[in-house]
C-alpha cells in the first residue's frame, strides 16, 4: 500500500494528472476524489504493478480514482521509442521528452484513449500519435457527443504522404461518423451522426484520403486534395434500390432511379478558393428539399462544453447520391445557414 506523499486541492482528474507530472519523478501515482465536500488529489511516491498484466493493484480510498504514471524510469523521445524498448507496453499515460531540457508531453493514439485515460477532459484540439513510426497529427477530439471519442480531421491531413494510413488507424468504428456543420452568420456548430441506412447495416463506410477507390469520383476531384466518405460502394449502389443513410437516427432515403452509383460525401480544404463544380447548378431543388435538405434539418446544436472547433477542421463539402438522390456542395447550402462541414471518425 502506498501512502500519500502530498494532498492538494484539484478541480478535476486532469488537474491531478498535471500535479503529479509536475512533481515527477517524486510522484509515481495519485488518488483523485472528493472528501468532506472537497476535491482532493493525493500524490503518492510509490506505484504498484501486477507483473503479468502491467495494471496497478494499488487500492485507493472508497470513491477515489487511482492512476499511476508509466515508464518513469526511462526518458523516451517518442512513443515509437517506448514501443521499441518495451514491445509489450500498453496504451496509457506516458511521459516523452521530444526536446532536451524541455517539459515532457503525453502521447495517445486516438481521442478515445484520451477520453478513457483522462476522465473529465474537455473536447478540443489535441496532438495524437496514430502510428508509432510517423509524425503526430493535431485533431479535434470530440469527447461528449454520441459517446465521444471522435477525431475530427484537419485540412493538412491531405498534404501528408501517410494520410491514408492515418485514416485507417483512426477509423475503427466504421458505421458511425460524426459531422459538424458551421453556420456562416454566427459560427455556431450543429452536428449529425451519420449511420448506415437500415437496409445496409452490414456494409461499412469507407474513408479515403485523396482517393475514391471503389466509389464514384467526386465532381470536385480537380481540387486534388480531399477526404472521402463512401456510403455504399459502386457494386452495391449501382442498383435501382432504396438507398441513403441515417442522420441522428432518422432514415433518409431515395429510390435510385437509374442505378447511377453515386453514394458519398467528399470534404475539400479548397486551399486556393477554387469555384466548386457547377453540376446541377441550374436548379436549387436539391438544396431546398430531399436528402440534402433533410440531412441538415436534422442537425442538433452543439451544447456540450469544450473548446470551439477551429476553422482548419471545416471543409467545403460535396454530397452526391444516385440516380435521383441529390447533388449539392456547401457553397449552395443557403437554407439553414450552414456553409462548411467538419468530419469526425473514431
Amino acid at each position: 500500500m502506498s501512502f500519500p506523499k502530498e494532498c492538494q486541492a484539484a478541480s478535476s482528474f486532469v488537474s491531478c494528472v498535471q500535479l503529479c507530472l509536475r512533481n515527477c519523478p517524486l510522484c509515481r501515482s495519485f488518488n483523485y476524489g472528493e472528501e468532506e465536500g472537497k476535491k482532493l488529489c493525493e500524490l503518492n511516491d510509490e506505484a504498484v504493478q501486477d507483473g503479468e498484466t502491467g495494471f496497478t493493484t494499488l487500492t485507493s480510498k472508497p470513491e477515489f480514482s487511482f492512476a499511476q504514471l508509466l515508464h518513469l524510469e526511462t526518458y523516451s523521445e517518442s512513443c515509437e521509442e517506448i514501443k521499441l524498448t518495451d514491445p509489450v507496453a500498453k496504451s496509457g499515460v506516458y511521459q516523452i521528452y521530444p526536446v532536451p531540457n524541455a517539459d515532457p508531453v503525453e502521447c495517445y493514439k486516438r481521442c478515445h484513449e484520451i477520453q478513457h485515460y483522462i476522465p473529465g477532459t474537455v473536447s478540443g484540439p489535441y496532438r495524437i500519435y496514430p502510428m508509432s513510426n510517423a509524425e503526430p497529427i493535431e485533431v479535434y477530439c470530440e469527447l461528449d457527443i454520441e459517446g465521444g471519442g471522435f477525431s475530427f480531421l484537419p485540412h493538412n491531413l491531405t498534404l501528408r504522404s501517410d494520410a491514408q494510413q492515418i485514416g485507417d488507424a483512426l477509423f475503427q468504428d466504421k458505421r458511425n461518423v460524426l459531422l459538424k456543420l458551421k453556420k456562416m452568420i454566427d459560427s455556431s456548430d450543429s452536428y449529425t451522426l451519420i449511420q448506415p441506412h437500415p437496409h445496409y447495416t452490414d456494409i461499412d463506410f469507407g474513408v479515403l484520403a485523396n482517393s475514391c477507390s471503389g466509389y464514384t469520383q467526386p465532381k470536385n476531384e480537380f481540387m486534388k486534395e480531399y477526404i472521402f466518405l463512401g456510403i455504399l460502394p459502386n457494386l452495391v449502389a449501382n442498383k435501382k434500390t432504396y438507398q441513403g443513410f441515417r442522420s441522428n437516427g432518422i432514415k433518409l432515403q431515395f429510390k435510385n432511379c437509374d442505378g447511377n452509383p453515386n453514394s458519398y460525401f467528399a470534404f475539400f480544404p479548397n486551399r486556393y478558393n477554387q469555384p466548386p463544380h457547377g453540376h446541377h447548378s441550374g436548379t436549387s431543388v436539391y438544396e431546398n428539399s430531399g436528402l440534402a435538405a433533410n440531412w441538415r434539418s436534422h442537425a442538433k446544436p452543439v451544447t456540450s462544453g469544450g473548446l470551439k472547433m477551429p476553422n482548419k477542421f471545416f471543409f467545403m463539402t460535396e454530397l452526391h447520391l444516385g440516380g435521383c438522390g441529390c447533388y449539392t456542395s456547401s457553397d449552395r447550402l443557403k437554407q439553414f445557414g450552414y456553409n462548411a462541414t467538419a468530419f469526425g471518425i473514431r
Side-chain angles (χ1 to χ4, degrees):
M1 178 72 182
S2 175
F3 294 94
K5 173 183 178 293
E6 185 178 357
C7 186
Q8 300 185 32
S11 60
S12 67
F13 187 93
V14 178
S15 299
C16 195
V17 172
Q18 294 169 339
L19 283 172
C20 190
L21 288 172
R22 284 199 292 269
N23 285 274
C24 177
L26 294 178
C27 179
R28 301 298 303 270
S29 64
F30 59 88
N31 300 310
Y32 175 75
E34 189 168 332
E35 190 173 66
E36 297 180 355
K38 296 180 180 179
K39 294 180 179 179
L40 300 176
C41 179
E42 293 182 341
L43 305 183
N44 306 316
D45 57 6
E46 296 180 42
V48 180
Q49 287 187 317
D50 182 311
E52 293 184 359
T53 66
F55 292 112
T56 179
T57 57
L58 187 146
T59 304
S60 65
K61 292 182 177 181
E63 307 302 325
F64 273 59
S65 298
F66 171 82
Q68 68 181 33
L69 303 180
L70 305 175
H71 273 244
L72 292 179
E73 68 280 2
T74 61
Y75 294 88
S76 302
E77 293 184 357
S78 66
C79 293
E80 180 183 10
E81 185 176 333
I82 292 173
K83 184 177 180 180
L84 290 173
T85 56
D86 185 1
V88 297
K90 298 180 180 295
S91 298
V93 181
Y94 292 87
Q95 285 187 319
I96 61 172
Y97 296 78
V99 181
N101 303 318
D103 291 335
V105 298
E106 300 159 25
C107 53
Y108 300 92
K109 291 182 179 179
R110 297 188 293 140
C111 292
H112 177 73
E113 289 189 359
I114 294 175
Q115 182 183 40
H116 177 76
Y117 288 106
I118 314 180
T121 303
V122 298
S123 300
Y126 291 87
R127 177 169 288 193
I128 60 173
Y129 297 74
M131 300 187 299
S132 59
N133 58 345
E135 292 295 316
I137 183 171
E138 185 182 52
V139 299
Y140 183 96
C141 289
E142 175 51 62
L143 305 176
D144 298 302
I145 296 172
E146 297 294 344
F150 287 95
S151 300
F152 279 84
L153 305 177
H155 288 183
N156 62 9
L157 173 66
T158 61
L159 296 173
R160 295 181 56 148
S161 61
D162 57 0
Q164 186 60 57
Q165 290 81 2
I166 289 175
D168 292 342
L170 294 177
F171 192 37
Q172 303 297 312
D173 182 359
K174 299 182 184 296
R175 296 173 193 173
N176 287 282
V177 169
L178 190 64
L179 302 182
K180 284 191 177 182
L181 299 161
K182 180 178 284 293
K183 282 194 173 181
M184 182 185 302
I185 295 177
D186 58 7
S187 295
S188 62
D189 300 341
S190 297
Y191 71 90
T192 63
L193 181 70
I194 304 300
Q195 298 171 306
H197 185 281
H199 292 176
Y200 305 97
T201 55
D202 59 337
I203 297 178
D204 292 341
F205 292 148
V207 171
L208 301 167
N210 303 324
S211 169
C212 57
S213 178
Y215 302 87
T216 52
Q217 180 175 291
K219 296 296 183 182
N220 290 286
E221 195 272 342
F222 64 89
M223 294 183 182
K224 302 301 182 184
E225 299 171 29
Y226 59 96
I227 300 171
F228 188 92
L229 170 61
I231 305 299
L232 293 176
N234 287 345
L235 292 176
V236 177
N238 64 355
K239 299 174 177 61
K240 297 179 182 180
T241 56
Y242 282 101
Q243 301 173 21
F245 53 86
R246 285 179 292 159
S247 174
N248 284 339
I250 299 171
K251 180 175 66 176
L252 305 180
Q253 69 176 12
F254 69 101
K255 178 69 177 292
N256 193 324
C257 61
D258 58 8
N260 200 326
N262 300 299
S263 187
Y264 65 83
F265 287 83
F267 306 92
F268 299 84
N270 195 10
R271 303 180 193 285
Y272 306 108
N273 295 316
Q274 295 171 274
H277 196 284
H279 188 59
H280 282 310
S281 60
T283 176
S284 60
V285 62
Y286 295 128
E287 285 72 46
N288 296 322
S289 62
L291 270 79
N294 292 337
W295 159 55
R296 290 171 287 126
S297 70
H298 295 307
K300 299 178 181 179
V302 175
T303 57
S304 56
L307 302 176
K308 196 167 187 64
M309 185 180 289
N311 287 334
K312 65 182 178 181
F313 295 99
F314 285 93
F315 294 78
M316 192 280 281
T317 307
E318 175 183 332
L319 171 60
H320 200 176
L321 298 166
C324 302
C326 70
Y327 175 85
T328 191
S329 52
S330 51
D331 60 300
R332 306 181 191 179
L333 302 182
K334 309 301 182 185
Q335 192 180 25
F336 309 113
Y338 301 119
N339 70 326
T341 313
F343 176 64
I345 56 179
R346 65 182 176 191

